[in-house]
Amino acid sequence: MDDPTLYGPLYGLPDPHHPSFEGLASPQEIRHAKDTKRNLLEQQIRSLGALRNATLLINQFPNEIFVEILLMARLDDFEQVGLHYNQDGVPRTVGTSDWLPMMRVCRRWWAVARSTPRLWRSIDVYYSKEWLDLCISRSADATLELSFHDEDMTLLAIPTVISVAHRISRLLLPGIWNINFKRITPLLELQMPNLVEIGVVRSFESDFDDPRAAVPLELPPDHFPVLSILHLDGVAMPWTSTLLSNLSFLEITDCIIKDGPLTLSAFLDVLRSCTRLEELHLSEFLSEALDDNAPIPNTMITLPKLRKLTITIDAVPLLHCLRLPIDVDIFITPQWEIPGEEIFFQQYIPLESKNHIAIFQSATYGRILVHDDIMYIIAQGALQRPHGITLQYDLREHGPLEGLVLLTPFFGRALSEFSDMFASAPIDSLMLDGNTTYASQDDWRVLFSRLPKLESLTLSCTGKSLADMFRALAAPPILTPNVPNPQASQSSSVLVCPKLRAVEISGDARCSDTDLANIHRSLQLRAINGAPPLRTLWFETMHESEPAFLARQVLAAQMFAELMPDGGGRFDREK
């Protein structure tokens, strides 16, 4: 490079020893000379400052180390969120602009950043074609990561992207309307020898848009020899071993198979070749991709490296045929056009599937979370790496009163499903979190009756559910017809959760004086019926004044002392 602004220590500033102006006579010449000299002196001061700054320790380390610091400052959403598209099919940023303000710190930082192609290779394109051109020019010959966030800008930039196709390693496209989709197909048929990741999204005209209207997508495998991450949404895609067998990450949403529909057996023949898959995300896909009348084959395939599986309920038949690693993380959601009250996973996951999915027998931790009218049932195992299964229920009524929560019976059925599905698992820790007011005392009794090994219970829930939960803990177990009694091996037949030794009440679970009295009465009844003393009883609450809090703290200590002879009780203010 011959640009003097890129070379230190002056980075384009004049030599501070430049000669001054003399021998001028007229007032105008003198004023001009003085102004010129003053400007020169100001530049010389800046030059001397630059020479002085060059001696500071922060400017002594090599440029290569400084570049690594700038790269670390570039927040990369992809490293943090896993899925590279959000639920609306919008690609996430690649974080190019996060380090740009550092260019304004000093001339050296500006020059280093300006002349480092690696910093300009990850480009988020919104509404400025000039920004795309600038980044490409400054990225020199580095591979490019392009994330487009606007359809019009994407279509405008196609010629530019085609010209650098051989350098692209990541290409994430936004939603493209069907009418414009043919305009991007030439780009997707180019040779891209460095392409590791690609995302293609077709925007739907409406919720009733027919997926079969999608423009077929070719994606010739020999054009993308190193492709390992693929995101497709709303397109007619090829389902071939040559395209998919080298992938480590596959995300498919609302797609159809170009030459489909296929039988599940034919679908599995291709999936069997994907032995490198670490993450598989299938949403609203198999209901369109598979032949409804084809039988479920009596065959099993193995995905040995799979660590995360996310599917909608229409893909649950896959669980019949997948032999999964013991530490896989499974997430199952409903199909949003189906009313939430009709979705119960137990009817989709029969006994034979549960028998070969390890988490149904090995879960030690359970969590029931209700957030924004969505209910999550979570079960996790005891391995060091977090793994397990999450079942998502939509509690909203789909109809004239859409969004209004009216599904109290449904909530209780979901609790019962949790206890039935994990009846064989040694769950010893349970957390109840969020708005659980839809459940009745009997619903909690059914749940607790099926958790004979429970030792720790954490409550962070709202409303009257706290009192109902403790009444259920004090009541005798409910024996479900035709279901073996899980308490039968216990010394007492009048206790639910006979091994319970720790209770924590925190967060949104507020404890009034009445709540404390009800909790005390319930725990006292458990003790009378033979329950072991609690090791831990922790209340976290919030009060308006310090005296009120201290008075409640003393009351709780006196009330529960007899139930905890070894101590272990705490009554804290919410942090």
Side-chain angles (χ1 to χ4, degrees):
M1 290 178 289
D2 55 2
D3 187 346
T5 62
L6 299 180
Y7 296 94
L10 292 175
Y11 299 102
L13 291 170
D15 188 328
H17 304 294
H18 194 282
S20 60
F21 296 92
E22 295 181 358
L24 302 175
S26 71
Q28 293 84 357
E29 290 178 325
I30 292 174
R31 283 197 303 273
H32 177 72
K34 296 299 182 182
D35 289 341
T36 302
K37 186 172 184 179
R38 183 180 64 184
N39 293 337
L40 180 60
L41 288 173
E42 290 175 351
Q43 291 187 19
Q44 289 174 341
I45 290 173
R46 290 196 293 271
S47 299
L48 291 170
L51 292 172
R52 176 184 178 277
N53 290 340
T55 66
L56 299 176
L57 288 178
I58 193 172
N59 288 319
Q60 294 301 303
F61 56 80
N63 287 348
E64 293 79 6
I65 297 178
F66 179 64
V67 168
E68 293 302 321
I69 294 174
L70 289 180
L71 288 170
M72 292 174 65
R74 190 199 74 183
L75 177 64
D76 193 342
D77 279 351
F78 295 95
E79 300 296 330
Q80 298 193 11
V81 300
L83 290 177
H84 300 182
Y85 280 78
N86 67 16
Q87 291 183 345
D88 297 321
V90 178
R92 300 189 184 276
T93 65
V94 291
T96 304
S97 59
D98 294 328
W99 53 269
L100 281 175
M102 296 186 182
M103 294 184 70
R104 304 182 66 178
V105 172
C106 66
R107 291 174 182 270
R108 184 198 180 207
W109 288 24
W110 179 90
V112 172
R114 164 66 179 78
S115 57
T116 302
R118 290 168 61 197
L119 289 171
W120 300 91
R121 62 183 290 267
S122 301
I123 310 170
D124 284 297
V125 186
Y126 291 92
Y127 310 110
S128 173
K129 175 69 162 50
E130 291 75 15
W131 171 248
L132 172 64
D133 294 337
L134 175 68
C135 291
I136 289 177
S137 66
R138 292 185 176 181
S139 64
D141 294 326
T143 57
L144 298 172
E145 298 178 339
L146 305 180
S147 181
F148 287 87
H149 301 270
D150 178 75
E151 179 183 10
D152 292 337
M153 184 53 56
T154 303
L155 299 175
L156 178 65
I158 285 177
T160 300
V161 177
I162 289 177
S163 69
V164 294
H166 62 288
R167 294 173 49 197
I168 297 175
S169 66
R170 175 182 288 168
L171 178 62
L172 301 179
L173 301 177
I176 305 293
W177 293 111
N178 213 45
I179 193 173
N180 293 323
F181 210 82
K182 289 184 178 180
R183 295 175 60 182
I184 69 168
T185 51
L187 172 63
L188 303 177
E189 295 172 359
L190 290 174
Q191 293 276 354
M192 297 189 190
N194 292 301
L195 189 71
V196 173
E197 175 180 9
I198 189 170
V200 183
V201 177
R202 179 177 73 96
S203 292
F204 285 86
E205 307 292 338
S206 72
D207 292 340
F208 305 101
D209 195 3
D210 188 352
R212 289 167 292 187
V215 175
L217 202 61
E218 294 300 331
L219 295 176
D222 56 330
H223 289 192
F224 317 114
V226 295
L227 183 67
S228 63
I229 302 175
L230 179 61
H231 318 260
L232 298 176
D233 187 340
V235 302
M237 62 170 292
W239 185 258
T240 63
S241 298
T242 51
L243 174 64
L244 305 176
S245 60
N246 291 324
L247 297 182
S248 62
F249 182 108
L250 177 59
E251 180 185 11
I252 304 176
T253 303
D254 284 317
C255 289
I256 63 171
I257 294 177
K258 185 159 62 78
D259 299 320
L262 303 178
T263 65
L264 181 56
S265 179
F267 182 88
L268 290 172
D269 285 342
V270 173
L271 189 60
R272 189 194 311 274
S273 68
C274 301
T275 55
R276 300 182 183 182
L277 267 184
E278 298 177 14
E279 292 196 28
L280 177 60
H281 305 269
L282 304 177
S283 177
E284 312 277 357
F285 174 50
L286 290 196
S287 55
E288 295 290 344
L290 298 184
D291 182 355
D292 293 336
N293 299 318
I296 296 178
N298 186 22
T299 183
M300 298 285 290
I301 68 169
T302 300
L303 299 177
K305 294 187 176 181
L306 197 67
R307 294 294 175 266
K308 190 169 185 179
L309 175 65
T310 302
I311 57 177
T312 43
I313 199 82
D314 62 321
V316 166
L318 274 182
L319 297 180
H320 296 255
C321 308
L322 288 181
R323 187 177 290 109
L324 299 172
I326 191 171
D327 58 348
V328 70
D329 206 6
I330 305 171
F331 197 105
I332 307 178
T333 68
Q335 290 176 268
W336 295 114
E337 70 272 13
I338 300 176
E341 61 205 31
E342 298 179 4
I343 296 298
F344 284 94
F345 293 102
Q346 196 163 7
Q347 61 186 319
Y348 294 92
I349 309 177
L351 180 61
E352 57 268 24
S353 294
K354 291 193 290 182
N355 286 340
H356 70 259
I357 298 176
I359 194 63
F360 286 110
Q361 287 79 42
S362 63
T364 58
Y365 169 81
R367 183 182 183 191
I368 297 171
L369 168 65
V370 182
H371 179 69
D372 289 341
D373 300 337
I374 303 296
M375 178 179 180
Y376 302 89
I377 284 181
I378 303 164
Q380 293 179 341
L383 297 181
Q384 289 184 347
R385 197 188 74 81
H387 72 287
I389 187 168
T390 299
L391 308 177
Q392 179 179 326
Y393 300 78
D394 186 3
L395 297 181
R396 294 167 291 193
E397 180 72 55
H398 291 245
L401 299 177
E402 183 170 358
L404 184 62
V405 178
L406 298 173
L407 304 180
T408 302
F410 167 72
F411 190 93
R413 289 172 59 194
L415 289 181
S416 178
E417 179 169 87
F418 169 79
S419 59
D420 289 341
M421 292 183 71
F422 296 94
S424 301
I427 293 178
D428 58 22
S429 180
L430 178 66
M431 182 175 187
L432 304 174
D433 192 358
N435 186 3
T436 57
T437 55
Y438 313 117
S440 68
Q441 178 181 332
D442 283 344
D443 292 331
W444 296 119
R445 284 182 66 194
V446 170
L447 175 65
F448 295 143
S449 296
R450 303 301 302 278
L451 296 174
K453 297 184 178 181
L454 191 69
E455 298 179 11
S456 174
L457 178 62
T458 300
L459 306 176
S460 181
C461 39
T462 58
K464 69 179 182 64
S465 57
L466 191 64
D468 286 339
M469 289 176 191
F470 276 92
R471 292 190 188 101
L473 284 171
I478 293 178
L479 305 182
T480 306
N482 302 321
V483 176
N485 181 6
Q487 312 289 350
S489 61
Q490 305 297 331
S491 59
S492 172
S493 62
V494 294
L495 276 176
V496 298
C497 307
K499 294 186 176 182
L500 185 64
R501 300 297 302 275
V503 177
E504 296 185 4
I505 304 172
S506 61
D508 291 327
R510 309 299 184 199
C511 286
S512 64
D513 289 344
T514 302
D515 289 328
L516 286 178
N518 289 332
I519 292 171
H520 176 263
R521 188 178 304 110
S522 297
L523 294 179
Q524 199 171 43
L525 284 173
R526 284 181 58 83
I528 292 171
N529 289 324
L534 294 178
R535 288 192 299 263
T536 301
L537 179 60
W538 176 32
F539 296 93
E540 184 184 62
T541 188
M542 180 171 62
H543 297 283
E544 295 180 356
S545 66
E546 183 72 11
F549 168 74
L550 293 176
R552 189 78 59 80
Q553 192 176 47
V554 171
L555 174 64
Q558 294 172 347
M559 186 179 295
F560 294 99
E562 71 207 54
L563 300 174
M564 305 186 65
D566 298 328
R570 289 171 53 191
F571 192 89
D572 294 336
R573 189 191 301 272
E574 185 182 36
K575 297 178 178 64

